Amino acid sequence: MARVSKRERSPARSGVFSKPADPLTEAFTQSVSFDRELARHDLAGSLAHARMLLKVGLLTRAEEAALRKGLEAIRAEIEAGRFAWNPAFEDVHMNIEKALADRAGAAAGKLHTARSRNDQIALDERLWVREQLDAIRAELHAVQRSLLALAETYAGDPMPGYTHLQRAQPVTCGHYLLAHVEALERDADRCAEARHRANVLPLGACALAGTSLPIDRAYTAKLLGFEGVTRNSMDTSADRDYLLDFAYAMSVCAIHLSRLAEDFILYATTEFGWLKIDDAWCTGSSIMPQKRNPDLFELIRGKAGRAVGVLNHLLMLLKGTPLTYNRDFQEDKEVLFDATRHFRASLQVLARMLENVSFDRAKMEAACVGGYMDATVLAEFLVRKGLPFRQAHHAAGQLVKVAAAQGKTLSELSVREMQAVHPLLDASVKPVLGPRGAVNSYVSQGSPNPKLVRKEVAAWKKRLARGR
Ligand code: ARG
């Protein structure tokens, strides 16, 4: 626990107390050791709040100017790392208020007019969420751009596609890579939705019941760039949905990163041998000299646990808390900040990693041969000839059995051998067989046909260049 000085006490301890807090009370309840991460947002909120108080006549021009000067000085000190954070003052809010009292004199005592730490913390957190989501959206964008560059390079190259981790049908590497781009786009949408819901001003709810003072919430909202103000003071004080939305958006995205990492780890194994990771992005073994390990991908996969952990943590934190504010809520920050830091590091690393990997086209294509992955397009060939799909599916299965018995691929069977299985099979089936034949035969929108993939690459390029 952070050590607390015995001489100073939080301005939040009013005249009602007849003795100072026990050092253990102070040490156990302090949050400044971690909520100081919100200092910038706390200052921005206070500056806007002071301007609003001036507008409605609760501060004089001189008082507002003194507060502004004091708050700016504190901001400069914090930025320079010179600010003396003191756990005796509990949290970021009280630390700044105390410092302001030393700088702005009597006016400092007026800043907390029509404000509680309950709406203040909700404000700081909403501003933090907004800022993080904007940064995350930009970082997601960078990962998408790296994936897109790879998708362009390998647009038409066949690779096996899997279901149940069994070879299923040939796809193209570009199509596979664009699948990840799609998932990340949904993440970006989720971030935008979470931002929208967080982007409402809680200030003015005060502790839980608003205030008898004539404040102008819409004005403060405008100053801070919020889309509106919250509607119910009790809900505002009790609400942490903006953190749940944030943690959910982060968790889903972290799961996407983890699944991508898992694929790439698999593809980089000797058994697959499709993916080469540049030396600068691999790690070695302390004992096995031959090792080149994909630790960065493994860490991206591992760190996803933190994001999901924080989502669970926040849900459990809120469960069973009575309306409105409860001190339990203070426990929302530390793990959230930690998980977010690690999540954003994963995004940043991944964007760079993807610029430093290459796929082995020949090995991927070779892996498409031998697993009868073209059996489905062969069945579809028979459907085009008029056969009901169930019969076509059965005939294609029989043909696989015939080919397998001779250790041949479907392409290697003669027309005579094929016709022995079904008379509708003739030489015109040949072009749809084999990895390239199969991928070129796909026509449905959203399929891995190299022509369609190239179009998709072009569309994504335009879309990402617009910056959303
Ligand atoms: N540190 C507190 C939190 O994070 C700030 C609000 C404190 N409010 C209070 N009434 N003690 O929730």
Side-chain angles (χ1 to χ4, degrees), residues 319-355:
K319 181 184 178 301
T321 49
L323 257 53
T324 57
Y325 177 83
N326 300 276
R327 191 62 177 268
D328 316 39
F329 296 176
Q330 179 166 296
E331 289 296 309
D332 58 4
K333 290 168 211 52
E334 234 173 335
V335 280
L336 180 67
F337 294 162
D338 168 79
T340 306
R341 248 191 304 279
H342 285 272
F343 168 66
R344 289 189 51 194
S346 293
L347 285 172
Q348 290 157 13
V349 163
L350 186 57
R352 295 287 316 280
M353 279 292 282
L354 293 170
E355 293 168 0

Side-chain angles (χ1 to χ4, degrees), residues 131-196:
E131 184 185 81
Q132 292 299 319
L133 286 171
D134 288 342
I136 289 167
R137 269 163 62 85
E139 285 154 0
L140 268 172
H141 204 251
V143 177
Q144 285 180 306
R145 276 199 306 265
S146 299
L147 282 167
L148 188 59
L150 281 174
E152 188 168 24
T153 308
Y154 301 101
D157 296 303
M159 74 185 270
Y162 291 83
T163 62
H164 314 269
L165 198 54
Q166 302 290 321
R167 289 179 188 178
Q169 289 187 269
V171 296
T172 42
C173 187
H175 193 65
Y176 162 77
L177 291 161
L178 289 183
H180 290 297
V181 174
E182 289 285 343
L184 296 182
E185 188 64 12
R186 289 194 298 277
D187 291 326
D189 284 350
R190 252 182 296 275
C191 287
E193 284 156 18
R195 188 193 198 282
H196 172 66

Side-chain angles (χ1 to χ4, degrees), residues 38-55 59 63-72 74-75 78 92-98 100 107-108 110-117 119-121 123-124 127 201 203 219-220 223-224 226:
L38 298 171
R40 266 182 312 110
H41 308 300
D42 201 72
L43 289 164
S46 289
L47 285 163
H49 184 63
R51 272 179 71 184
M52 184 278 291
L53 292 176
L54 167 65
K55 178 173 183 274
L59 281 182
E63 286 168 336
E64 192 272 340
L67 290 178
R68 189 159 15 95
K69 235 181 101 193
L71 290 167
E72 295 292 2
I74 292 169
R75 192 206 308 267
I78 293 173
V92 61
H93 324 295
M94 285 302 149
N95 267 264
I96 291 175
E97 184 172 323
K98 185 75 173 50
L100 192 64
K110 290 197 172 183
L111 180 62
H112 213 52
T113 306
R115 189 173 74 171
S116 153
R117 279 184 294 168
D119 56 351
Q120 195 177 352
I121 186 61
L123 171 70
D124 293 3
L127 290 172
L201 178 85
L203 220 54
Y219 181 69
T220 316
L223 290 177
L224 289 167
F226 284 108

